[in-house]
Amino acid sequence: VDRRRRAGEIARAWITNGHLSLSLNAMAFGKADIWGHVLAGMAEQVAASCAEMGHGTTAGNLEEIRRNLTADLAKAAAKHSPLSVKS
């Protein structure tokens, strides 16, 4: 059994003309559900980094991230709902 730690890039993000662009390995974990854990981990690191830079607290930043993420996920779900697909 090869027990050496391996690393691999799973995502890159950048802003282009005011819009988010992504390059990612969507199947890096085999299933989409693991991405929830990845996104939560990223949110925690962003919240802590913002706090370290003097912008709020980690807990407060996490709450703001959660609020916006929940709203944006609801919009994405509605956009891709079978009820919203136009023929």
Side-chain angles (χ1 to χ4, degrees):
V1 175
D2 184 5
R3 296 185 186 269
R4 289 178 288 174
R5 294 185 186 252
R6 296 174 190 237
E9 184 173 86
I10 58 169
R12 287 184 187 200
W14 63 96
I15 303 297
T16 304
N17 296 323
H19 298 281
L20 177 64
S21 295
L22 293 171
S23 172
L24 56 91
N25 180 354
M27 295 308 296
F29 307 107
K31 296 182 353 181
D33 64 336
I34 300 300
W35 279 98
H37 299 291
V38 173
L39 294 172
M42 291 173 73
E44 185 176 11
Q45 288 189 26
V46 168
S49 292
C50 288
E52 287 176 12
M53 298 298 294
H55 300 283
T57 65
T58 300
N61 293 336
L62 271 171
E63 177 56 29
E64 289 184 32
I65 291 168
R66 185 199 59 76
R67 185 174 49 250
N68 287 307
L69 182 60
T70 299
D72 287 350
L73 285 173
K75 290 176 192 174
K79 177 179 168 183
H80 295 284
S81 166
L83 299 175
S84 70
V85 175
K86 308 244 189 292
S87 331

